[in-house]
Amino acid sequence: MRAITLDELGTQPALRADLPAPTSAPDEVLIQVRASSVNPVDAAIAAGRLKDMVQHDFPITLGRDYAGVVEQVGSEVTGFVAGDEVFGFIGAMNPTVHAGTWAEFIVVPDGVSIARKPVGVDLATAGAGALAAITAISAIDALALDQGDTLLVVGATGGVGSAAVQLAAAAGATVIAAALPEDEDYLRALGGADILPRKGDLAAAVRERYPEGVDALLDNVSYAPGAYDTALKDGARVASPNNAAGEGPGRTNLMAAPTSENLQRLARLLDAGTVKVPIHQTYPLEQAAAALNALATTHTQGKIALQVA
């Protein structure tokens, strides 16, 4: 089986073709992976930034998102059959850093990390979006946006930000996005109402346009709280996937959960067109290391995808 693995810390992820294909236990589903994507957690694992947080079991197969076709189901699986097109994502620490989706075949437990792919959504789109979109769904839920609320999204053009802008606009919020000039058309097409320069003092720019401050903040960029607090109204809600929300009422540090309920909810949003997954660029599996580098060095609009098969 071909897979992109990290054989030890300090090495570069590389393609291996000698790994045994997994087999499904009675309560598992064996999936032939067709598509995936690159997420910041993949870069963090490859760079060794999680080594002091959780045990690493080498070789590590990288990748979190997937879409593909059910190859085989265990004897206790009732919700899927061979030939079903499915999608989902798997957690990075389950319970060690080991299994990933940048491989020709994976196994996932029945009822977790797997849902049927919407008929009208292609495999490439489904394979690129689950982790980022469910993170965005969790953030917008936590922010409890009402019609007419103002939401500042920092990191609006990435995978999480792109989905969050769409969801917030659908909820009736006025979405304020920090962006480069070349991002304005992209963000307006997603539902961004007010585009502010990403460079300079963003909080001051927000206050100049919204003197009372904004009702909510989604910070996808910072790794410590407080960077944009001066842009907020008293009692504003803050959410962050990077532990930058701080502590206290209305402040939520979140992590996406690959539950069946979350994936089925995302499937409905994708099917309805409420959420689209823009793909900035697609790399073949054997160029996954280049895709990781692109995530770190390229300004993206949407997701960097991988074609696995």
Side-chain angles (χ1 to χ4, degrees):
M1 181 183 74
R2 298 192 313 148
I4 300 295
T5 68
L6 187 70
D7 293 335
E8 60 181 289
L9 294 179
T11 62
Q12 288 295 310
L15 180 69
R16 287 183 58 170
D18 61 344
L19 294 178
T23 56
S24 54
D27 62 345
E28 290 180 329
V29 181
L30 176 67
I31 300 161
Q32 182 188 43
V33 179
R34 300 286 182 83
S36 184
S37 79
V38 183
N39 289 290
V41 68
D42 302 310
I45 292 169
R49 293 198 292 272
L50 303 186
K51 62 183 176 64
D52 296 325
M53 299 171 54
V54 63
Q55 180 181 335
H56 287 46
D57 183 8
F58 295 97
I60 292 167
T61 300
L62 295 174
R64 311 267 58 90
D65 291 314
Y66 75 88
V69 179
V70 173
E71 182 82 4
Q72 185 179 33
V73 298
S75 58
E76 298 175 6
V77 174
T78 59
F80 301 94
V81 298
D84 284 345
E85 292 188 330
V86 293
F87 80 116
F89 76 95
I90 62 175
M93 296 169 271
N94 51 349
T96 65
V97 177
H98 175 63
T101 61
W102 293 356
E104 290 180 305
F105 295 93
I106 61 171
V107 291
V108 299
D110 183 25
V112 182
S113 302
I114 182 172
R116 279 189 173 79
K117 180 189 72 63
V119 173
V121 177
D122 61 34
L123 285 165
T125 298
L131 175 55
I134 289 176
T135 302
I137 289 169
S138 301
I140 298 303
D141 283 352
L143 293 171
L145 297 173
D146 289 326
Q147 185 81 24
D149 277 350
T150 50
L151 168 68
L152 172 62
V153 181
V154 184
T157 62
V160 175
S162 294
V165 169
Q166 297 172 72
L167 290 164
T174 297
V175 181
I176 307 153
L180 298 174
E182 57 265 33
D183 297 323
E184 183 166 352
D185 289 345
Y186 171 79
L187 288 169
R188 290 198 186 283
L190 296 180
D194 199 352
I195 313 303
L196 296 179
R198 196 174 74 170
K199 296 181 180 179
D201 189 337
L202 176 60
V206 172
R207 277 289 184 177
E208 183 176 348
R209 196 161 299 184
Y210 301 87
E212 295 182 357
V214 296
D215 297 293
L217 164 68
L218 172 56
D219 186 350
N220 297 310
V221 173
S222 305
Y223 287 88
Y228 304 101
D229 278 6
T230 56
L232 306 178
K233 290 180 180 178
D234 290 341
R237 291 94 68 194
V238 182
S240 169
N242 299 328
N243 207 38
E247 298 180 354
R251 292 179 176 260
T252 305
N253 295 298
L254 55 95
M255 181 178 296
T259 63
S260 176
E261 292 78 11
N262 281 341
L263 288 165
Q264 289 173 12
R265 182 178 174 190
L266 173 58
R268 292 191 295 270
L269 290 167
L270 291 170
D271 195 40
T274 306
V275 172
K276 296 179 173 62
V277 182
I279 295 178
H280 181 83
Q281 190 170 357
T282 300
Y283 290 79
L285 179 65
E286 57 268 22
Q287 294 180 18
L292 271 176
N293 183 65
L295 182 68
T297 60
T298 305
H299 176 67
T300 61
Q301 294 179 344
K303 293 298 301 288
I304 293 176
L306 283 184
Q307 181 178 345
V308 179

